[in-house]
Amino acid sequence: MPTTAPPAHALADVTASDSTLRRFLHGLPGVDAVGLEARAASLGTRSIKTTAKAYAIDLAISMVDLTTLEGADTPGKVRALGAKAVHPDPTDRTAPTTAAVCVYPDMVAVAKEAVAGSHVKVASVATAFPAGRAALEVKLADVRDAVAAGADEIDMVIDRGAFLAGKYLKVYDEIVAVKEACGTSARLKVIFETGELSTYDNIRRASWLGMIAGADFIKTSTGKVAVNATPANTLLMLEAVRDFRAQTGIQVGVKPAGGIRTTKDAVKFLVLVNETAGQDWLDNHWFRFGASSLLNDLLMQRQKLATGRYSGPDYVTVD
Amino acid sequence: MASASAFEYAPAPESRSVVDLAPSYGLFIDGEFTDATGGKVFKTVSPSTEEVLSEVAEASEEDVDRAVKAARRAFEKWSALPGAERAKYLFRIARIIQERSRELAVLETLDNGKPIKETRDADLPLVAAHFFYYAGWADKLDHAGFGAEPRPLGVAGQVIPWNFPLLMLAWKIAPALATGNTVVLKPAETTPLSALFFADICRQAGLPKGVVNIVTGDGRTGAALVAHPDVNKVAFTGSTAVGKAIARTVAGTRKKLTLELGGKGANIVFDDAPIDQAVEGIVNGIFFNQGQVCCAGSRLIVQESIQDELLDALKRRLSTLRLGDPLDKNTDIGAINSAEQLARITALADAGEAEGAERWSPACELPDAGYWFAPTLFTNVTQAHTIAREEIFGPVLSVLSFRTPDEAVAKANNTQYGLSAGIWSEKGSRILAVASKLRAGVVWSNTFNKFDPTSPFGGYKESGFGREGGRHGLEAYLDV
């Protein structure tokens, strides 16, 4: 079992011990909640119309991780999801494909087959999703399983209990171990469950912790708790990846997940990306939406722009 | 202004058609629009295009006299009304302002040059809030802490500036009417239109004739109003030089006076500040309304240990500001109010460079027509530089540094002004300790340029005296 494998970048020395890591994370600039939320709200008033809106809708579609994470998932449902990811709008083949389909590890092989021949990736929530309450060995087995089945991306949850207890090195070690289990074939998304971290200071610390440990993506939440992605916590994570790249040269992606349901909301998130991290992140390699119901609203808005008329829920597929 | 990106926002202009502009406007005296005696007029232009918006009457001394007389006649009945009755009118005005807020926001943007985002999201909500707030006080004056049955002063002569035309009108007129005074108000010569639309709102609200009178004109009209012997109270917001002249005029008379003048606000950033939010606060502090704000945080006083980091973040942030058509809903920085003001800003910025400060602006294309000035940052500024001392009243930020809290306080207070200051720190005890040492009327902590009708506003030293807003704001209009 690997412990504290030092990362090869400018911040390597901060993981020397629990205390150096804590000192670093607690030395990050604080977050003023009022100011952060005010900034997110003010960016939310950007008016996106006409060509900019058409561009934003297609960009957002291409960033969707089309997700099904139900206990009742069946191979049939996952195949339908894969087909939809490849051709989101059966009436309009110019609609871009989504970024990925996101499933439980046991469905990876089915999903892989369903999207074969397309650019759609298969992401899998491993590591005892969504609670993350299992032994590391169990989590790693979960990851290896998904990777062996062909997963291109692993969405791992951190141990929030350890994080809130201040055992940062434990969380760090787990991420490092999972990253190693991903090997070279799968990118790693680290889910913080921001709603459970409860303070913005914690979200910033978790972001840096995840990035130092080698996350390819940092992700807000599982979509399984009351508070998931918000403009404010996503803005905060975008600031973190921007600052991390400035300090280490390493670019990390961001994925807000849960609760983003409308085109209007999605466009606001793109504005946050555009004006915080910048255009380098305006690409599905660096930004994703973890949302399943969002896609249909994007498609209906797309049809509206193309035809001038609103269609309706029956003009897009149910799943 | 941002460099070419894959995600360029298409223009999203607010429609001008919601504003019905007349080719000319008269003076509003005794409930009627009337021509100026002598028939003099002047033009008001849109600062972003230099287009002539309308012609406005220029009030002579005789017109000012007519307006004061109308206000005097109206005073007898208005001051005798029960407070609850006056409140009804004020509540009605507040609601009409809310109903017509889109129209007023577009009008204000056309006449002033500031972004629609600010008139829509900041100015108009605050204007309505001030009328609502003082409407609430009108029947509670006995309980305001100025003794039983405090009495109004009489006719208030009010002169307001061009940076927040409608908001300054609200700050002046709402408390005056709530306390039973009547008003003659002179808006600034470059931004008279929203006051004239307000006159229409007074008629719409059924306000008795003569309670509010609007006389338009330049400094001469203002001087005539201030000097009028039958004015009981003078309230002025504007430049320190004019404020001093007014103080001389009023000295020795029985007129009550409040002055809200210039500022050179210090925005102090400690090394433990929430950096990202501090950057937003700095931007809001000096680039809100193109820096044409008397309480602007025009001096950034930053702790030396984080100076480089903060300046990098600030420059990156300034590069995302969008300058251009103020009617575009995505515009962050609009036009400078007048050619004269632009010339003043330009001259002071040039002086900064000549005196050895280092000038920086983001890559920025300025429109051909209109009055524009790119957001500008000066580093290597010392207390001895002109740009660290004089109020620029434009989008120009001077950056100074400090090592210890005492040094920060000393630098912040080393100014002839004292209107506003800001403190950025995550440490509450430090904020309280520093705030109590700053000689400024408002000290914001971890925020900047936040206004609320319940909060008093005013200055120390050459920033003036008297308070507007809150319970304190009533005092200036009561015989106490």
Side-chain angles (χ1 to χ4, degrees), chain B residues 226-404:
Chain B
V226 167
H228 194 288
D230 205 24
V231 163
N232 305 97
K233 149 83 187 174
V234 172
F236 173 75
T237 295
S239 74
T240 297
V242 175
K244 285 179 180 173
I246 289 174
R248 279 186 215 105
T249 307
V250 171
T253 70
R254 298 177 66 94
K255 292 174 191 172
K256 274 187 93 169
L257 175 65
T258 46
L259 296 173
E260 202 266 271
L261 309 174
K264 192 73 188 171
N267 210 353
I268 306 171
V269 182
F270 287 97
D271 60 3
D272 65 345
I275 297 287
D276 290 303
Q277 286 77 49
V279 166
E280 292 306 318
I282 295 162
V283 168
N284 187 33
I286 183 62
F287 300 115
F288 181 63
N289 197 10
Q290 294 74 247
Q292 301 167 134
V293 183
C294 47
C295 54
S298 51
R299 287 183 299 148
L300 174 63
I301 304 186
V302 55
Q303 193 150 10
E304 211 172 62
S305 51
I306 56 158
Q307 188 178 8
D308 292 346
E309 186 188 342
L310 186 73
L311 284 177
D312 284 349
L314 189 57
K315 287 177 178 176
R316 184 181 60 224
R317 178 67 177 83
L318 294 192
S319 303
T320 68
L321 285 176
R322 305 171 68 84
L323 178 146
D325 179 5
L327 277 173
D328 188 326
K329 293 167 201 161
N330 291 328
T331 291
D332 299 315
I333 303 272
I336 301 300
N337 184 250
S338 64
E340 189 191 357
Q341 184 59 21
L342 178 60
R344 179 176 160 76
I345 297 168
T346 308
L348 281 163
D350 290 348
E353 233 172 338
E355 290 173 24
E358 199 172 308
R359 182 178 185 157
W360 184 90
S361 285
C364 180
E365 243 177 74
L366 301 181
D368 297 330
Y371 317 124
W372 303 90
F373 198 88
T376 299
L377 199 70
F378 275 103
T379 50
N380 293 336
V381 178
T382 74
Q383 288 292 106
H385 283 127
T386 306
I387 52 168
R389 310 212 69 86
E390 285 206 30
E391 183 180 40
I392 298 175
F393 224 63
V396 180
L397 179 66
S398 300
V399 183
L400 300 105
S401 68
F402 71 94
R403 294 191 179 95
T404 65

Side-chain angles (χ1 to χ4, degrees), chain B residues 152-190:
Chain B
L153 298 168
V155 175
Q158 307 176 321
V159 179
I160 57 169
W162 45 259
N163 57 343
F164 293 92
L166 203 51
L167 184 60
M168 292 301 106
L169 174 148
W171 283 23
K172 298 276 185 293
I173 290 184
L177 298 194
T179 45
N181 299 274
T182 54
V183 163
V184 179
L185 177 127
K186 189 202 86 77
E189 59 190 295
T190 60

Side-chain angles (χ1 to χ4, degrees), chain B residues 46-118:
Chain B
S46 168
S48 61
T49 58
E50 298 176 57
E51 165 204 3
V52 174
L53 294 171
S54 193
E55 265 182 7
V56 176
E58 186 180 320
S60 63
E61 258 180 67
E62 202 175 318
D63 298 316
V64 169
D65 185 54
R66 278 199 292 149
V68 173
K69 286 201 168 105
R72 176 61 59 196
R73 282 194 302 275
F75 175 68
E76 300 308 322
K77 279 186 183 170
W78 179 251
S79 59
L81 282 181
E85 279 300 308
R86 292 198 304 272
K88 271 204 254 178
Y89 289 108
L90 286 168
F91 277 124
R92 212 180 281 164
I93 289 171
R95 287 195 303 270
I96 296 171
I97 287 169
Q98 285 185 322
E99 282 159 17
R100 295 178 65 174
S101 66
R102 183 148 166 256
E103 173 195 3
L104 292 168
V106 173
L107 173 74
E108 195 85 317
T109 288
L110 280 172
D111 204 20
N112 172 280
K114 65 168 77 182
I116 184 78
K117 194 172 86 170
E118 291 179 8

